[in-house]
Amino acid sequence: MRERWQAVGVLAAALFVVNVVARLVIKFGFPDDDTAASRVSLAMFLAIGLILAVLAFHWGSDRPLSRLAGDLAAAVGVALALTVFVGPLLVGENPFGGGAGLFFAQIWLYLAATGAGVLVGYLTLTALGRDHRSQQLKRFAEQKAAKPRKVVRR
């Protein structure tokens, strides 16, 4: 159980670190360039989506969907809270400084990027037939085929 939550914590920390790095690049590399800041933000969302796609693909092969969804949702929830509330403070900004529109836009964009990443990873895994459920069904079919057929006598 400890290993499970440790992996979730490491994932949440990694997602948060990606956000902090993007914020620092924007602050020190492009302080007054909105176009560059938008591109760095887009790269951050793509990196977060890619991380989650790879992990959904990897974790989905040996975990049932309910456990996979719970683990990823917990990690994304913690990372989102840190990103929205702590991330701006690390670069000297107010989390609510841009107004309610920007605050909620961050949340929706983050959820869209993470959802798309998880969806791409898990759907790819499922399409290849390597997800946990497909593996269970494959083992069941092999086990049933390996049993000799019962002869019915009259």
Side-chain angles (χ1 to χ4, degrees):
M1 186 61 112
R2 181 174 183 228
E3 292 174 8
R4 176 183 179 185
W5 293 114
Q6 187 176 15
V8 169
V10 168
L11 174 58
L15 295 176
F16 178 62
V17 165
V18 169
N19 179 265
V20 169
V21 167
R23 287 181 187 273
L24 291 173
V25 167
I26 291 170
K27 179 173 176 133
F28 294 117
F30 310 102
D32 296 327
D33 189 0
D34 288 341
T35 303
S38 295
R39 289 182 181 155
V40 171
S41 295
L42 178 63
M44 175 199 69
F45 286 125
L46 288 174
I48 288 171
L50 181 64
I51 289 169
L52 286 168
V54 168
L55 277 177
F57 187 87
H58 179 68
W59 286 358
S61 63
D62 61 351
R63 299 177 190 197
L65 181 58
S66 59
R67 181 175 168 200
L68 174 69
D71 290 352
L72 291 177
V76 166
V78 169
L80 176 61
L82 289 172
T83 295
V84 171
F85 295 115
V86 178
L89 296 175
L90 293 177
V91 293
E93 297 175 4
N94 181 357
F96 305 104
L102 181 62
F103 179 77
F104 288 111
Q106 281 182 332
I107 292 172
W108 288 116
L109 285 171
Y110 198 90
L111 291 175
T114 57
V118 169
L119 196 61
V120 165
Y122 192 74
L123 288 179
T124 303
L125 182 71
T126 304
L128 295 174
R130 295 183 53 200
D131 62 311
H132 186 264
R133 179 75 175 148
S134 296
Q135 294 299 318
Q136 280 183 329
L137 291 172
K138 181 181 174 185
R139 284 190 298 271
F140 177 76
E142 289 170 354
Q143 186 181 33
K144 285 294 182 185
K147 288 184 179 179
R149 203 171 158 188
K150 292 184 181 180
V151 178
V152 178
R153 296 182 191 208
R154 291 187 200 196

